[in-house]
Amino acid sequence: MANIVAIVGRPNVGKSTLYNRLTESRKAIVDDFSGVTRDRHYGEAEWIGKRFTVIDTGGFVHGSDDIFEAAIREQVHIAIEEASVILFMVDVTTGITDLDDDIANILRRSKKPVYVVANKVDHAKLHHASAEFYAFGLGEIFNISSATGSGTGELLDEVVSHFEVLEEEESTLPKITIAGRPNVGKSSLTNALLGKDRNIVTPIAGTTRDAIRIHYNQFGNEFLLIDTAGLRRKTKVTENIEFYSVMRTIKAIEDSDVVVLMIDANDGLEAQDINIFHLAEKNKKGVVILVNKWDMVEKDHKTAKEFEARIREKIAPFNDVPILFTSVTEKQRIFKAVETIMDVYKNKTKKIPTSKLNEVMLDIIENYPPPATKGKYIKVKYITQIPGRSPMFAFFCNLPQYIKDPYKRFVENKLRENFDFSGVPIQVFFRQK
């Protein structure tokens, strides 16, 4: 399970600044969400060798104070359920407010580790001012300045003490995650694959609800199915449903080899689907897109091709992804989907012999060499696949610093053409020989 740190608190206490500091120089796991999720950030951080996901719960609904405060309280509840550690941020320059008290009351009932982070302690005189926050009854106060970074080291030492460095699992079975927006048919697909007409997903006891793992072993295919469907809080705050869904999806996708992104044929590929796709891509997971409820769409001989073209346009530049049109209720192409998923897993774990790689790619590069830069010619001498969880290739040459992105994309496309990496992100590195 992924380690997740949620930063909670009322507006303008510095949550986003702390988030930016913790995830500094690291790529966000998920691009800024637009629309209902109001630019919420999910990022990756590391401290003393332990990696974790940071969630900035800031930036919420605009509207009346009542709606605004209800949304923040709801967000705190979700953070308690889903996060490994909670950072409760307060502002030392304004002291305790009614909203701070409300959040503290919720956090006191939590069994999760909670740290009170007094922000904006920018000079020594303010250290004593933070003592009033002991009134929350939540333990030690950590004085920091998220703007300068002062005090964050001591805080992170405590935070990561709750994380285990997870050992690799003994199981070598492929791990497949079914992801997507609510009501696209995730539970139905799971039930159809297992041949059971019941919802096999039940809440796990305790405050953390993890994705359910199901062992699939039928028709010559065996894998672990990680089901993210069905475990969603019922709430009137629509944004938080999405927030909750994404937190669970982050954990499930990090723990998978191949992500099956299910979309509704009636809706097409929406913003939330694209976010899930990029989450899988950035984590270097295999991807299969299933367009479900295809039986409900009026179509002619061109409909599927046009629908597929629109999807590939939206997910570019990584659009070498299998797209299948299914109807789970009619059991149309669901076993074709299983075959495709296993093909993508094989592509992800594929190892190309070095001799074959050099034989094919050096010939292509000789015919289409990198453009000369400043009168200097780039000579690629040797290619090898780097060991890893996803396909990575090192091209050794004399002047790697002059290789531009367009040529890297050209090389990636040639690798795909010749070795079939459909559904899998691949990485190309040019290195000094």
Side-chain angles (χ1 to χ4, degrees), residues 237-253:
V237 185
T238 308
E239 287 195 13
N240 283 311
I241 296 177
E242 297 302 324
F243 177 45
Y244 180 84
S245 171
V246 171
M247 290 182 82
R248 301 200 63 254
T249 302
I250 287 173
K251 290 196 284 189
I253 287 177

Side-chain angles (χ1 to χ4, degrees), residues 125 131 267 306 395 409:
K125 292 178 181 177
D267 300 332
E306 290 172 353
F395 289 69
R409 284 194 292 273

Side-chain angles (χ1 to χ4, degrees), residues 32-171:
D32 299 350
F33 279 22
S34 59
V36 294
T37 41
R38 303 281 177 184
D39 302 327
R40 191 165 290 103
H41 296 271
Y42 304 80
E44 199 173 294
E46 185 175 332
W47 186 254
I48 57 171
K50 293 183 179 179
R51 293 176 63 180
F52 53 97
T53 298
V54 185
I55 299 187
D56 169 16
T57 62
F60 228 101
V61 285
H62 299 286
S64 72
D65 290 342
D66 290 342
I67 294 172
F68 190 75
E69 293 182 10
I72 291 171
R73 292 188 194 97
E74 184 63 27
Q75 209 171 41
V76 174
H77 280 296
I78 293 169
I80 288 170
E81 286 199 44
E82 291 299 314
S84 316
V85 175
I86 300 158
L87 303 183
F88 173 28
M89 284 198 78
V90 289
D91 183 342
V92 75
T93 62
T94 56
I96 297 174
T97 69
D98 290 344
L99 190 50
D100 290 328
D101 270 331
D102 286 350
I103 295 171
N105 286 336
I106 299 167
L107 293 174
R108 271 197 297 274
R109 296 192 287 272
S110 163
K111 294 180 182 177
K112 295 289 177 73
V114 177
Y115 292 103
V116 179
V117 181
N119 191 28
K120 306 183 186 178
V121 182
D122 297 321
H123 50 81
K125 292 178 181 177
L126 289 171
H127 274 268
H128 300 297
S130 66
E132 68 171 304
F133 298 119
Y134 282 106
F136 292 143
L138 288 168
E140 191 64 35
I141 309 298
F142 287 83
N143 292 323
I144 73 161
S145 168
S146 55
T148 66
S150 162
T152 53
E154 293 84 349
L155 172 64
L156 286 172
D157 286 342
E158 284 295 322
V159 167
V160 301
S161 69
H162 296 278
F163 302 156
E164 297 177 12
V165 178
L166 300 176
E167 298 296 325
E168 287 297 309
E169 294 184 21
E170 292 300 316
S171 172

